[in-house]
Amino acid sequence: MTTPSALDRPTGVPLARRLAARLVLVPALALSFLPPRHIRAVLERVRRGARPATAAQAAAAREALCAVSLRCAGPRGCLPRSLGAALLCRLHGTWPTWCTGVRKVPPFSAHAWIEADGRPVGEGVPDDYFARLVTVAPARRTRT
C-alpha cells in the first residue's frame, strides 16, 4: 500500500514569472539527462556575466518552477527544479550557487539544490545537511 501525499504547489506567482519558468523548464529537463560533467560545463558557460542571486531572488525562481511543474514540485524533481531555478535566475541577470551532493545523515540520498548567501534555498534543512559534490557558483568578476 502506498502512502497518500500531496504536493505543495505555490500560488500567487505572477504570470510573467510563470511564463519565464515555463520557458526554462524544457532546457532544464534536457540538461537533467546529461552526465554531471556536461551539466557543469553548460552551467559554467551560462553563469558568465551574472550577479550573485540574493536569497529572495533564488527563492522566487524555485517557487516559480514548482508552480508550473508537478515534476519539479515533487520529491524526485530536485535536479530539474534546481537547474530550472538557476536558469530562471540567469534570465533576470543573477546566478545562485547550483549544487549537487548527498545527505550527510543516513540513509544515503543524492540531491540537487540551489544556494544563495551560502544557504540552501527552500529546502527546509540545516545549512550543513548536505555534502556538496559539484557546485557552480557565481563567476567572480575581475576588474581591469
Side-chain angles (χ1 to χ4, degrees):
M1 179 180 276
T2 61
T3 304
S5 63
L7 297 178
D8 182 28
R9 290 189 75 180
T11 58
V13 177
L15 177 62
R17 189 167 290 274
R18 286 195 321 266
L19 291 174
R22 286 195 183 275
L23 179 69
V24 300
L25 185 57
V26 172
L29 288 170
L31 275 173
S32 71
F33 288 103
L34 295 177
R37 68 177 182 190
H38 293 298
I39 293 173
R40 182 181 202 163
V42 169
L43 295 182
E44 285 176 346
R45 185 166 294 221
V46 170
R47 74 175 176 183
R48 292 181 186 166
R51 300 179 317 277
T54 65
Q57 291 167 328
R62 184 183 190 281
E63 185 175 87
L65 262 293
C66 291
V68 300
S69 170
L70 281 175
R71 181 176 186 158
C72 289
R76 295 187 179 202
C78 65
L79 185 55
R81 177 177 57 239
S82 65
L83 291 167
L87 294 174
L88 186 55
C89 282
R90 185 62 187 100
L91 277 182
H92 293 95
T94 63
W95 187 260
T97 299
W98 178 81
C99 306
T100 60
V102 295
R103 291 194 312 186
K104 289 183 177 179
V105 296
F108 169 81
S109 178
H111 192 55
W113 67 98
I114 58 171
E115 293 183 353
D117 304 324
R119 305 183 79 186
V121 174
E123 296 298 327
V125 296
D127 294 349
D128 63 346
Y129 189 76
F130 299 111
R132 292 166 197 83
L133 299 177
V134 178
T135 62
V136 180
R140 295 178 192 252
R141 293 185 176 201
T142 57
R143 296 198 176 206
T144 56

